[in-house]
Amino acid sequence: MVIIYFNNEQKEDLQFLQELSFEVGSKIVQVSIDFFKGNYNPKLLQNVSTKLNLPQLKVERCVYALSYLFTESSKLSLSKSDFLESVNAISPTKEIEECLLESYQKNREEMRRILSEMSLKLPSIDSLQWRLDVQISSRRTSNEAKPVYLLKLKTSDNRTVWFQADYNELESMTNQLEIALKESKSQHYKRIKKYIK
């Protein structure tokens, strides 16, 4: 079971919903969904506060806290029971609880799409070509061979990177990549990756 935990400030901001009627609370929930989707307009929030006769700062903080709830719920792809368990921490009225659940279920896929668009996408390696160049002799010394690797790296974003490295640099890069690969198979990484997706 996955539950979203709120800090004390967020709980206080969300408990503001208890003081409101269902119509007013559902309007604030809708504003928070719009805020999440990027349709946020400060004047709209001011109009809602004025129209509902509520302090603007309280409404704004409630909208931010609700956006946090929807963001985290979408990131974790919470089930209905997990979402309701998370919402119980703020003890909303039954109508507001149903409104939150309905808004979450109705907008979950779109919120996940928005979150995936916002996530950092790094290019992957498409191909790596290399060549070993060795200077066998020069006018100064004839006994010392200096091997140098010339590497051509193509990435998924159609970039080509050329770089040169000696054996020690290449060995160091290989060791660092092996460490990173080992870390990517660890339980800690898998746990973090689950929350990032």
Side-chain angles (χ1 to χ4, degrees):
M1 174 176 268
V2 180
I3 297 175
I4 296 172
Y5 292 99
F6 301 101
N7 62 34
N8 291 335
E9 197 174 286
Q10 289 168 327
K11 282 182 184 177
E12 187 180 309
D13 295 339
L14 289 169
Q15 287 180 352
F16 174 63
L17 289 171
Q18 293 175 347
E19 305 167 15
L20 307 175
S21 68
F22 172 70
E23 293 78 23
V24 174
S26 61
K27 181 69 175 166
I28 290 176
V29 169
Q30 186 54 50
V31 169
S32 71
I33 293 285
D34 291 342
F35 175 74
F36 182 87
K37 291 179 179 178
N39 303 332
Y40 177 70
N41 183 351
K43 288 184 179 180
L44 173 70
L45 194 59
Q46 187 177 11
N47 290 344
V48 168
S49 305
T50 314
K51 195 182 289 184
L52 302 175
N53 223 6
L54 298 169
Q56 183 177 348
L57 183 63
K58 273 194 162 194
V59 171
E60 192 173 298
R61 292 174 62 100
C62 186
V63 166
Y64 293 156
L66 284 170
S67 295
Y68 170 79
L69 168 69
F70 291 129
T71 301
E72 294 303 310
S73 300
S74 298
K75 268 188 206 174
L76 300 172
S77 204
L78 293 184
S79 66
K80 177 182 176 180
S81 60
D82 290 345
F83 181 81
L84 290 174
E85 192 66 35
S86 299
V87 168
N88 279 338
I90 57 169
S91 309
T93 62
K94 194 69 176 162
E95 294 89 12
I96 295 291
E97 185 179 283
E98 289 171 6
C99 177
L100 288 169
L101 178 63
E102 182 184 325
S103 297
Y104 168 65
Q105 289 179 329
K106 189 167 107 180
N107 295 290
R108 177 176 42 198
E109 293 308 314
E110 185 176 0
M111 288 189 279
R112 285 190 60 80
R113 183 188 54 76
I114 290 169
L115 288 171
S116 71
E117 288 172 2
M118 291 170 49
S119 68
L120 179 63
K121 291 189 170 63
L122 297 174
S124 60
I125 298 173
D126 281 347
S127 72
L128 174 68
Q129 298 174 351
W130 60 276
R131 181 178 78 204
L132 176 62
D133 289 339
V134 180
Q135 181 180 359
I136 298 174
S137 67
S138 70
R139 289 186 182 170
R140 288 189 216 142
T141 59
S142 58
N143 298 338
E144 190 176 321
K146 296 180 181 176
V148 175
Y149 294 92
L150 184 63
L151 298 113
K152 179 182 177 184
L153 181 72
K154 287 187 180 178
T155 59
S156 59
D157 60 353
N158 296 323
R159 289 181 51 212
T160 302
V161 179
W162 290 85
F163 62 97
Q164 183 175 318
D166 64 12
Y167 178 76
N168 291 333
E169 291 171 332
L170 203 56
E171 185 177 34
S172 175
M173 281 190 277
T174 304
N175 290 339
Q176 290 299 318
L177 288 170
E178 285 174 352
I179 290 169
L181 185 61
K182 240 184 239 180
E183 283 293 319
S184 72
K185 294 177 181 176
S186 72
Q187 288 292 35
H188 179 68
Y189 170 80
K190 289 176 183 174
R191 208 171 322 129
I192 290 172
K193 186 177 178 184
K194 174 182 157 189
Y195 291 113
I196 290 175
K197 280 187 174 182

